[in-house]
Amino acid sequence: MLALALLLAGGAATGCGGRATTHHKPGTSHEQASGSVGTLLTATDAGGHRFREVPAEGAPEVQLTVRPDSEDGWNLQLAVKNYRFTPDSTGGAALPGAGHAHLELDGRKLARLYGPWFHLPAAQVPEGAHTLTVRLYADDHTAWAVAGKPVEGTAQLTATAPGQAGGHSHGDTPPPPQAPQSEQADRTVTITVRDGKVSPAPARTELRRGERVALRVTSDRADTLHVHGYDKELALPAGQEATLTLTADRTGLFEVETHTSGLVLTQLLVR
């Protein structure tokens, strides 16, 4: 009976696409809602994440502030209350006032956020007026909610064509040369994303602790690269190579994926 109940619970769950990923705790998946905090509602967000309702008193809160960046795009600040970001436990149980956030542009998910600051490149925002939304989630990917509504904050943003006053959009300016970064690395991993496929096929990149690795990625669509566990991000302009170099100073298995397309690029195995 217990095995049957667990089987039914697993089949009925909904989440982030149905695949287990290495940044989860062992034995968990995006669909599993293993926490007991609050009340799981049948209502979901556009991505199928169920709402986890908690009392208004002491509930998480978030406010979003958008500031133009002098070089490119905008800097976003999430001012949270009764909440903390917990990137290391993503995929675990829902703990009170903890988790991560999702960033949406006009209802379309752009990125998953693991801290109070995020840089939004101009290349990811079409010309015109837009609404940015940040929504708070628990570690098990359920959305925190109060009175049946998700805990979120919004802000307005207007993007103008490059060269126009107030646009703060320098999408046509090529990025600075990336070669010096990769030359300083002990290992270089070159990855191409085209038509939703990753080349070469995702595999494990083994590193010794303390080594520097350069991730050189070219994507045919604008996206954001994220290294789980290290909480490192890199904007990926469409059709342009971008490089992220980091020191592997933590041991373990860390997944590298794209935010918008949700593709696994590689796994860093640091011993």
Side-chain angles (χ1 to χ4, degrees):
M1 291 295 291
L2 177 59
L4 178 60
L6 290 174
L7 208 67
L8 291 174
T14 58
C16 297
R19 61 176 179 84
T21 56
T22 56
H23 62 273
H24 292 152
K25 291 185 176 180
T28 66
S29 71
H30 279 276
E31 293 90 344
Q32 292 172 308
S34 53
S36 58
V37 180
T39 303
L40 276 176
L41 307 181
T42 57
T44 66
D45 66 5
H49 305 83
R50 293 178 66 179
F51 290 175
R52 183 177 293 276
E53 184 165 278
V54 293
E57 184 176 356
E61 300 177 21
V62 60
Q63 290 185 334
L64 176 62
T65 302
V66 180
R67 299 181 177 88
D69 187 282
S70 60
E71 292 294 327
D72 172 76
W74 301 264
N75 294 316
L76 280 52
Q77 182 183 17
L78 283 65
V80 296
K81 183 178 180 182
N82 302 323
Y83 189 80
R84 67 188 188 281
F85 292 96
T86 52
D88 289 342
S89 58
T90 301
L95 301 178
H100 55 276
H102 287 188
L103 172 66
E104 294 181 353
L105 177 71
D106 300 330
R108 177 176 62 89
K109 182 181 174 182
L110 288 183
R112 191 187 295 166
L113 311 185
Y114 295 92
W117 287 95
F118 181 79
H119 178 252
L120 177 61
Q124 295 191 16
V125 183
E127 183 178 350
H130 304 279
T131 299
L132 285 172
T133 302
V134 289
R135 187 176 303 116
L136 299 184
Y137 290 78
D139 283 330
D140 67 350
H141 303 282
T142 53
W144 293 112
V146 174
K149 296 182 179 181
V151 176
E152 60 186 32
T154 61
Q156 303 303 309
L157 179 154
T158 300
T160 58
Q164 293 186 9
H168 299 281
S169 176
H170 305 283
D172 291 343
T173 302
Q178 301 289 347
Q181 275 194 315
S182 58
E183 289 175 0
Q184 298 172 6
D186 300 297
R187 294 283 304 277
T188 298
V189 180
T190 303
I191 301 169
T192 300
V193 179
R194 182 176 297 278
D195 297 328
K197 297 182 179 180
V198 180
S199 179
R204 290 185 178 180
T205 301
E206 296 192 13
L207 301 165
R208 295 191 302 273
R209 184 173 183 176
E211 283 189 318
R212 286 174 60 79
V213 58
L215 302 171
R216 301 176 60 181
V217 181
T218 303
S219 173
D220 60 347
R221 297 183 180 180
D223 211 320
T224 303
L225 175 147
H226 182 84
V227 183
H228 288 281
Y230 284 85
D231 201 23
K232 297 289 186 180
E233 293 191 343
L234 174 71
L236 301 176
Q240 299 180 15
E241 183 180 86
T243 302
L244 173 66
T245 302
L246 62 86
T247 301
D249 55 4
R250 300 179 60 188
T251 57
L253 183 63
F254 306 96
E255 190 167 272
V256 181
E257 69 175 5
T258 56
H259 274 312
T260 303
S261 55
L263 298 172
V264 176
L265 303 184
T266 188
Q267 296 172 342
L268 303 180
L269 178 59
V270 185
R271 300 183 186 278

